[in-house]
Amino acid sequence: MEQVLEQDKPWALLSEVGGDHGYLEELADIVKQHFQIVCLADFLQNPELHGSKIQALLNWKFCPPAEPALLRLLPSLKVVASAGVGVDHLDVAFIRSLGVKVANTPGVVSDSTADLAMGLLLASARRIVDAHRIAVDPNTTRIPQSLMGVEVTGSTIGIIGMGEIGYKIAQRSRGFEMKVVYHNRTRRSAEDEQAVGAAFCGSLDELLRRSDFVLIAVKLTSETRGLIGCRELSLMKPTATLVNISRGQVVDQDALLHALQAGSIRAAALDVTHPEPLPRNHPLLRLPNVLITPHIGINTHATARRMVETMVENAAAAVRGSPVPNEVRPL
C-alpha cells in the first residue's frame, strides 16, 4: 500500500539534498512526505526521464534557477514555489505567461530576518567581531582601551521599508529604547505607529539626516534598485551606520566603498551584497568598518522548516488546482 501511495505522489524538482547548497535532510523529508523528488543534477543528466512528470519546481536559495532553458524542459509544470519573500530572482510575468503559478513564503521569515538585523546593528555598534578577534588572539596580553563602540540605547534608527520585517525591527528597536523613524511608500496607520513609537518621514532625505542607524528593509524593485547612492550617503551623519538586509543591488556598492573609506559614514553592516559572495579581492572585504554576513537572515532551523512547509503547501495546492495560499502576481 505504501508503495502505491508513493507512486501516486506528484513529482517536484529541487536543487540537491545535503551539501553546502542543498536542503538539509530534515527539510528534504518534509518535501518527500508530499512529493516524489528529483534533484537538478540528476534531472539534467536525463531530462526526458522526468521532464514530463514534474509539476512543481521548489526554488530554495535561488536554485534551481527558473530560467527559460530549464522551464522548457518541464511541460507539465504548474508552480514555481520560492523560499523567502523576495522574488526579484524570478521573472514572474514570464513564468505566469507559461500558465505556471508563482508562490513565495511571506511572514515566516520576518522574525528571523528582524533578529539578524538587530544582531548586525549591535555587532557593528559595539565592535563585537573585533573584540572577539582580540579576545582569542594568542598574542593578546592586554585589552586595548581603543576598542570603543557607539551607544545604541537612545539612538535614532531610521527604517527604510516598513513592511512586516521593517515593523518587527521597529518592535525590537523599542526594546533598546531607540527612537524610531521610518520612510515607506505607504504610511502605516496611526495605531501601528503608536504601538512602536515610530515617526513617519515624508522624504528619504529627512530620514537619512536624522538617523544614527539607517536600516534598509525594502524589496528589490526597479524603484529601489540603487536607492542608496552617493547623494544619499552624503546626507547621512558621519557617525551613522548603514545596515542592509534587503538586497545588495539596493545600495551602490562603489558609492558605499568610497563613503566608508572617506569616513563620510562610520560603518556598514551587510547581510547582502552584489554579487554573493563578493569576489575575494573586493575592497569591501578589507575595510575595518564593514561587517558582512553571507545572506543568513532566514538561517535558523525553525524558520527553514516553516519555509519548506509553506513551499510544499503552496506547491501542493497548485498541483491540486486549488487556490495557492501565497501566490505572487506581477505588480
Side-chain angles (χ1 to χ4, degrees):
M1 178 64 69
E2 289 184 2
Q3 185 177 5
V4 173
L5 291 174
E6 181 68 23
Q7 291 175 347
D8 286 344
K9 292 177 185 177
W11 284 85
L13 176 65
L14 46 77
S15 54
E16 61 179 319
V17 178
D20 291 335
H21 307 290
Y23 290 68
L24 298 174
E25 292 283 354
E26 65 193 71
L27 302 180
D29 287 344
I30 297 172
V31 181
K32 291 175 183 177
Q33 292 173 20
H34 302 271
F35 289 93
Q36 299 182 72
I37 66 170
V38 58
C39 295
L40 181 62
D42 295 333
F43 170 77
L44 292 177
Q45 286 183 356
N46 189 1
E48 293 79 13
L49 182 61
H50 295 295
S52 62
K53 302 176 186 176
I54 292 171
Q55 298 184 67
L57 187 154
L58 304 186
N59 186 265
W60 175 264
K61 300 250 176 145
F62 313 142
C63 190
E67 297 173 346
L70 178 60
L71 297 177
R72 280 194 288 268
L73 301 175
L74 308 173
S76 301
L77 189 67
K78 294 185 177 180
V79 61
V80 173
S82 182
V85 179
V87 292
D88 50 276
H89 59 293
L90 302 174
D91 187 338
V92 177
F94 172 74
I95 295 170
R96 285 175 55 84
S97 74
L98 302 176
V100 176
K101 296 184 183 298
V102 177
N104 62 351
T105 63
V108 298
V109 304
S110 300
D111 281 319
S112 61
T113 305
D115 287 347
L116 183 74
M118 295 306 297
L120 284 170
L121 187 155
L122 292 165
S124 178
R126 298 306 306 271
R127 298 181 60 187
I128 290 174
V129 175
D130 292 336
H132 169 75
R133 289 173 180 156
I134 291 171
V136 302
D137 189 330
N139 297 316
T140 295
T141 57
R142 298 181 63 187
I143 307 301
Q145 295 303 305
S146 59
L147 189 65
M148 303 293 286
V150 297
E151 199 79 16
V152 173
T153 301
S155 64
T156 298
I157 182 171
I159 301 172
I160 305 173
M162 192 63 110
E164 185 167 358
I165 293 173
Y167 194 75
K168 285 183 177 290
I169 292 168
Q171 290 174 326
R172 287 153 174 75
S173 302
R174 291 288 283 172
F176 288 91
E177 301 176 17
M178 302 179 82
K179 303 177 185 71
V180 180
V181 298
Y182 76 98
H183 178 69
N184 202 46
R185 183 173 54 184
T186 305
R187 184 171 182 173
R188 303 285 301 222
S189 68
E191 291 77 15
D192 284 350
E193 291 181 350
Q194 185 175 4
V196 294
F200 179 68
C201 290
S203 73
L204 177 60
D205 289 4
E206 178 189 356
L207 178 145
L208 295 170
R209 292 189 179 101
R210 292 176 59 179
S211 302
D212 299 303
F213 298 92
V214 174
L215 199 146
I216 307 171
V218 298
K219 294 179 181 179
L220 178 62
T221 66
S222 57
E223 289 76 24
T224 61
R225 188 180 299 271
L227 180 68
I228 304 298
C230 289
R231 192 188 73 84
E232 289 74 24
L233 290 164
S234 71
L235 297 176
M236 292 174 59
K237 299 177 182 180
T239 55
T241 298
L242 181 72
V243 183
N244 187 10
I245 58 159
S246 58
R247 288 290 189 269
Q249 298 97 314
V250 173
V251 177
D252 181 333
Q253 283 184 168
D254 290 336
L256 177 61
L257 176 65
H258 177 75
L260 290 163
Q261 289 173 327
S264 302
I265 64 173
R266 173 188 169 270
L270 314 170
D271 187 45
V272 288
T273 59
H274 184 68
E276 293 175 352
L278 288 173
R280 296 297 84 188
N281 63 348
H282 197 285
L284 272 178
L285 301 178
R286 299 193 296 273
L287 292 184
N289 52 346
V290 176
L291 174 60
I292 301 177
T293 52
H295 205 151
I296 58 170
I298 62 172
N299 283 27
T300 72
H301 286 284
T303 293
R305 172 171 286 275
R306 289 194 296 268
M307 287 172 65
V308 172
E309 290 171 346
T310 304
M311 291 169 67
V312 168
E313 181 183 0
N314 288 329
V319 169
R320 291 193 307 267
S322 303
V324 177
N326 300 292
E327 184 174 358
V328 175
R329 302 178 186 276
L331 296 175

